[in-house]
Amino acid sequence: MKVKKQSNKSTAHAVLANAFAPQALDFRGHHQTVGDQWAQVYGVHNFPPRVKAAWLARAANQPGVTMVMHMMPSDPTALVLSLSRRISLTAGSLQNGGNALLQQRAESELKSSQELMKKIDQQQQPVFKTGVFFLVTAPDDADGTRRAKRLKAKLGAAGMRPRNLSFRQEEGLLACGPWGIFPEVIRGGTPFQFPCETVAAAFPFSAGGINHRKGITLGSDSDGGIVLVDRWDLQPGSPTVEAGVTNRNWTILAASGAGKTWTTMLTILREYAQGAVVIIIDPEREYRALCRRLGGTWINTVGGRMVVNPFQAAPAPVEADEDTDEDEGYTAMAQHIQRVRTFFNLYLPQLTDIQRAFLRRGIMAVYRKKEIDIDTDPATVASDGWPTIKDLHAYCVTEGEKDQVGAETWATLAALLEDAADGIDSRIWSGGSQPATDKIDFLVLDIHDLQEAEESVQKAQYFNVLGYAWDILRRDRSERVMLVVDEAWMLIDPKTPQALSFLKKMAKRIRKYSGSLNVVTQNAIDFTAPEVAREGEPVLANSSTKFLLRQESKDLPAVTALFNLSEEEQNKLSSARQGEGLLISGNSRAWVTVDTFPHERVLIKGQ
């Protein structure tokens, strides 16, 4: 007896079918079983007369819920005739009067019909007969029932009425599958005509997530998809640029305890692993352990062995093109002297205009004593050839003895500078040597020891260290440098807006140095207060990527105004758990849960 062999092609098809098909399908009156999953299909049978953008997004973005829309083009001529008859009948019933509730409904129906007629006749919009179906799946009946109730509540709140496809679950499953089948038997239950703009607005990129196809993973979105963000590739046509990202800057805003520092550390680790140079200004000594585990360089800039001398200028960076923010002829030394003036405005905010004028004269005098003027190339000056605050103090003392007219002013300046020259603050600016940062790829500039210092000292040194970090970043355009400015609110001083202005200009200019400015702070209202909003708001808002974690109630209005948050986004941010937040990257938004890998936890926590 001969046995007919099954062809290899048929065998392959069977294997493929078995791989994709569920183990069993069991259709009941009101639900079905697909493999080991409980499932139920609903069709939407009533819609509100008017809808907003993303009117189906809230219902669709739920665990265990799959939404499918079927659109069939309608004959515009037949539809216009039908609408004309409907408008005439409705207008006639309104003229006859009657029940107030029925009259109100008739008015709403008449207005909707007239608007649809206008869209078809005047705007030439295509119209579709539309069916909307939801497939609810769950591991068991109890969980499925809860999910179905939640779906019906979401749809009901939006003015839609879903109905279980009783004894039509098999056809419902066909309608909800990815094969594009719209069974004839359930078409009659969806006789709704929608213009194309309503269909397009139903679900505009609400579940697309954020994926730049390369970069670092930040976590997972609300649909369980991976959030992949690339801040560096700004070449035309790149996925990053196509997503609306125009610069490499990040803003991380969060209330205390919301996971702000942890998230920042994760982004640092992941960018560093991909070759980025990292510079961190650390006011809370939160990054020292991570720095040491990675073999980086940690510098105590407050009384340590190395001092960031505010008078020392960095060599001018080589400009790669003619598109520069500097005025022609405005030298590197001239720019740095402006920075020195801002430093002293922060350190001595109580000075009068006359006293500031005398101080500026003293600053220029101590530079000239070291044979430095505005035309000097900083690269030609030895590291020990720069003046210090001690030199400025000595000059004020000497001038006070010589200048009889200005003796009182010089004596006042000398007294105010004494702490910085020989007193409690002298180790911050007048001792040790300037840090050597050549060939450093992970640098932490620690200012933690300023916590008990006067506010003016804190602001002045923060600004001084920020300027120093900026000089390091500009040295090599070929390097990807990630500059993290933590607790950036410390720079804010309404009396000295130049400090915040310096940060704003950094945010604009850092792009041409292949850098990424990362502003990390707690309270948005610090930056949006009326007296500093002009300089402060752009620092937060101009970053192409913003990650908003849990927000305090006092900050939420400011954050809402800055980033145009929806009501749902506000509610989520006010009650977000640690490590959860809204990621805004270019034109995309996603609710993200930050994920941490075991080896990263070891590096961050040491365990």
Side-chain angles (χ1 to χ4, degrees):
M1 180 177 65
K2 293 182 179 180
V3 178
K4 187 176 180 180
K5 293 183 179 179
Q6 189 174 16
S7 70
N8 291 335
K9 187 175 181 180
S10 299
T11 304
H13 285 170
V15 171
L16 188 62
N18 289 335
F20 285 97
Q23 295 178 350
L25 287 171
D26 182 17
F27 296 99
R28 303 295 179 91
H30 302 286
H31 72 276
Q32 57 190 277
T33 302
V34 182
D36 58 354
Q37 291 282 304
W38 177 94
Q40 200 169 47
V41 181
Y42 287 85
V44 179
H45 287 259
N46 277 335
F47 294 89
R50 289 174 181 80
V51 293
K52 298 180 180 179
W55 53 279
L56 281 174
R58 288 189 65 186
N61 285 336
Q62 296 184 81
V65 174
T66 301
M67 185 201 75
V68 175
M69 292 182 69
H70 289 273
M71 290 84 70
M72 300 179 63
S74 296
D75 180 1
T77 304
L79 185 57
V80 167
L81 292 174
S82 175
L83 281 172
S84 297
R85 289 193 296 268
R86 185 175 175 182
I87 289 171
S88 299
L89 290 172
T90 307
S93 66
L94 283 172
Q95 291 178 354
N96 294 332
N99 183 283
L101 179 60
L102 295 178
Q103 289 284 95
Q104 183 178 351
R105 290 177 178 174
E107 287 177 1
S108 178
E109 182 178 347
L110 177 62
K111 188 173 182 180
S112 298
S113 299
Q114 289 172 338
E115 288 178 357
L116 183 56
M117 175 78 84
K118 181 179 179 181
K119 293 180 188 297
I120 299 170
D121 184 45
Q122 298 181 17
Q123 300 178 12
Q124 298 296 306
Q125 281 197 35
V127 178
F128 298 90
K129 184 176 181 180
T130 306
V132 180
F133 301 93
F134 289 90
L135 173 65
V136 182
T137 58
D140 53 53
D141 181 32
D143 193 15
T145 302
R146 284 194 297 270
R147 291 181 178 182
K149 286 182 178 179
R150 193 182 305 120
L151 171 66
K152 288 188 282 187
K154 293 272 189 182
L155 291 170
M160 290 172 274
R161 185 167 65 87
R163 190 165 66 189
N164 188 308
L165 297 185
S166 299
F167 302 101
R168 289 285 182 265
Q169 288 293 306
E170 182 176 356
E171 291 82 359
L173 182 61
L174 286 173
C176 291
W179 30 77
I181 298 175
F182 192 6
E184 183 74 32
V185 71
I186 60 175
R187 289 185 190 178
T190 57
F192 294 95
Q193 309 281 356
F194 290 152
C196 65
E197 66 177 17
T198 303
V199 174
F203 202 66
F205 315 110
S206 296
I210 297 177
N211 188 338
H212 296 164
R213 289 182 251 174
K214 60 180 178 178
I216 63 169
T217 57
L218 185 61
S220 54
D221 60 24
S222 54
D223 297 317
I226 293 176
V227 176
L228 188 62
V229 187
D230 176 32
R231 74 178 74 198
W232 302 108
D233 188 0
L234 298 183
Q235 295 298 319
S238 70
T240 309
V241 173
E242 289 180 352
V245 176
T246 58
N247 61 54
R248 304 178 179 95
N249 300 338
W250 279 47
T251 294
I252 298 180
L253 275 174
S256 178
K260 167 173 55 70
T261 302
W262 188 272
T263 302
T264 304
M265 286 184 178
L266 285 176
T267 60
I268 289 170
L269 268 177
R270 292 167 184 176
E271 293 289 3
Y272 181 64
Q274 296 196 18
V277 174
V278 177
I279 304 172
I280 305 168
I281 301 178
D282 184 7
E284 302 288 345
R285 194 160 291 168
E286 294 173 308
Y287 300 89
R288 180 171 66 176
L290 176 64
C291 177
R292 289 178 172 172
R293 291 187 190 110
L294 294 174
T297 301
W298 177 84
I299 297 174
N300 183 359
T301 65
V302 184
R305 290 173 297 175
M306 292 174 285
V307 168
V308 179
N309 180 5
F311 283 90
Q312 183 168 340
V318 178
E319 298 296 342
D321 51 51
E322 297 179 358
D323 183 16
T324 176
D325 293 334
E326 293 92 359
D327 295 333
E328 185 176 355
Y330 205 61
T331 65
M333 272 307 307
Q335 294 177 58
H336 188 78
I337 290 171
Q338 291 286 359
R339 193 191 300 176
V340 174
R341 290 179 177 180
T342 301
F343 168 82
F344 281 108
N345 287 344
L346 290 166
Y347 181 57
L348 301 173
Q350 70 273 37
L351 295 184
T352 65
D353 290 342
I354 294 297
Q355 290 168 341
R356 292 189 194 284
F358 272 68
L359 181 62
R360 290 196 291 269
R361 188 193 308 173
I363 290 170
M364 294 306 301
V366 294
Y367 271 120
R368 283 193 294 268
K369 280 194 172 185
K370 297 287 186 177
E371 299 182 348
I372 300 171
D373 59 28
I374 60 173
D375 295 317
T376 301
D377 182 357
T380 64
V381 182
S383 60
D384 58 353
W386 297 96
T388 66
I389 293 182
K390 186 174 288 189
D391 296 326
L392 180 61
H393 173 259
Y395 178 83
C396 292
V397 171
T398 302
E399 286 300 301
E401 296 172 352
K402 295 191 314 184
D403 184 359
Q404 295 182 353
V405 176
E408 184 178 349
T409 302
W410 288 116
T412 300
L413 291 175
L416 293 173
L417 290 169
E418 188 171 350
D419 278 345
D422 297 303
I424 190 173
D425 300 329
S426 60
R427 292 190 63 195
I428 304 176
W429 298 301
S430 296
S433 59
Q434 190 88 349
T437 55
D438 294 336
K439 298 181 180 179
I440 288 178
D441 59 3
F442 198 105
L443 174 65
V444 175
L445 301 170
D446 188 294
I447 57 175
H448 173 263
D449 290 343
L450 286 176
Q451 286 192 340
E452 302 302 324
E454 295 178 3
E455 185 177 348
S456 59
V457 178
Q458 293 181 15
K459 293 182 183 297
Q461 181 62 351
Y462 197 114
F463 176 77
N464 183 38
V465 172
L466 177 64
Y468 176 68
W470 174 239
D471 292 337
I472 297 172
L473 182 145
R474 295 188 300 159
R475 289 187 310 200
D476 188 350
R477 288 174 177 270
S478 65
E479 290 183 333
R480 293 178 172 181
V481 183
M482 183 178 176
L483 174 57
V484 179
V485 182
D486 203 353
E487 305 296 352
W489 60 269
M490 293 179 66
L491 277 176
I492 298 174
D493 187 344
K495 296 180 180 178
T496 311
Q498 297 93 332
L500 203 53
S501 177
F502 181 75
L503 187 62
K504 183 180 76 171
K505 290 176 181 176
M506 281 177 58
K508 292 181 177 180
R509 297 176 56 199
I510 199 169
R511 170 173 174 160
K512 65 179 182 178
Y513 297 107
S514 301
S516 168
L517 179 64
N518 299 260
V519 175
V520 185
T521 194
Q522 288 189 25
N523 304 118
I525 56 174
D526 292 335
F527 292 82
T528 59
E531 58 271 23
V532 298
R534 181 178 178 181
E535 307 295 338
E537 286 187 4
V539 170
L540 301 181
N542 287 349
S543 298
S544 280
T545 303
K546 303 101 176 171
F547 193 30
L548 314 178
L549 292 98
R550 190 182 72 249
Q551 299 294 313
E552 300 287 359
S553 56
K554 63 179 181 179
D555 290 296
L556 203 51
V559 174
T560 299
L562 269 178
F563 305 119
N564 194 27
L565 302 182
S566 67
E567 183 178 350
E568 183 178 6
E569 289 169 343
Q570 294 176 52
N571 293 335
K572 282 187 171 183
L573 286 174
S574 65
S575 58
R577 293 176 295 182
Q578 190 176 52
E580 290 182 345
L582 176 67
L583 180 66
I584 305 173
S585 182
N587 301 325
S588 304
R589 296 179 179 229
W591 186 257
V592 176
T593 300
V594 175
D595 297 329
T596 309
F597 298 106
H599 72 278
E600 293 173 325
R601 192 175 299 276
V602 171
L603 286 169
I604 294 174
K605 297 186 69 176
Q607 59 186 33

